[in-house]
């Protein structure tokens, strides 16, 4: 777990980051490797936001969780921009889920 400050706009935000990677055995293909990245931050305007990205090879599933349903709706409004940005980075995006 990495706990690192980040400057967003003019506000200092504390970010928690963890990366989990599946142990590989000799028979597993590299494309089947499972990894999970959990990223959480707490901002004045959005409150606590936790983003979990599950990766299998080049395929990606993203889950965005917030503490408030209005914030969840606000974040979900930006789903097309998130989807496009991730695809431009070369990821095959299977799904993006927003929840409170």
């Amino acid at each position: 777990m990495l706990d690192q400050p980040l400057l967003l706009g003019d506000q200092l935000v504390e970010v928690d980051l963890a990366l989990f990677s599946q142990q590989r055995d000799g028979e597993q293909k590299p494309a089947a490797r499972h990894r999970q990245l959990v990223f959480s931050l707490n901002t004045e305007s959005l409150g606590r936001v936790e983003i979990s990205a599950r990766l299998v090879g080049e395929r990606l599933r993203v889950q965005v969780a917030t503490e408030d349903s209005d914030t969840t709706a606000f974040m979900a409004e930006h789903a097309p921009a998130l989807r496009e940005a991730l695809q431009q980075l070369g990821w095959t995006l299977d799904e993006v889920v927003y929840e409170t």
Side-chain angles (χ1 to χ4, degrees), residues 27-87:
E27 296 179 15
Q28 185 181 15
K29 296 178 183 173
R33 182 177 177 197
H34 290 243
R35 294 168 288 170
Q36 181 172 349
L37 175 71
V38 179
F39 177 88
S40 66
L41 56 100
N42 196 352
T43 69
E44 189 175 310
S45 60
L46 297 175
R48 182 168 173 79
V49 177
E50 183 172 294
I51 301 169
S52 175
R54 292 190 178 124
L55 306 109
V56 178
E58 299 298 318
R59 303 193 72 82
L60 177 64
R61 289 185 175 184
V62 178
Q63 180 179 10
V64 179
T66 69
E67 297 177 319
D68 175 274
S69 59
D70 290 337
T71 303
T72 302
F74 173 78
M75 299 288 285
E77 288 175 13
H78 295 86
L82 174 62
R83 183 175 293 277
E84 183 178 326
L86 291 170
Q87 288 173 341

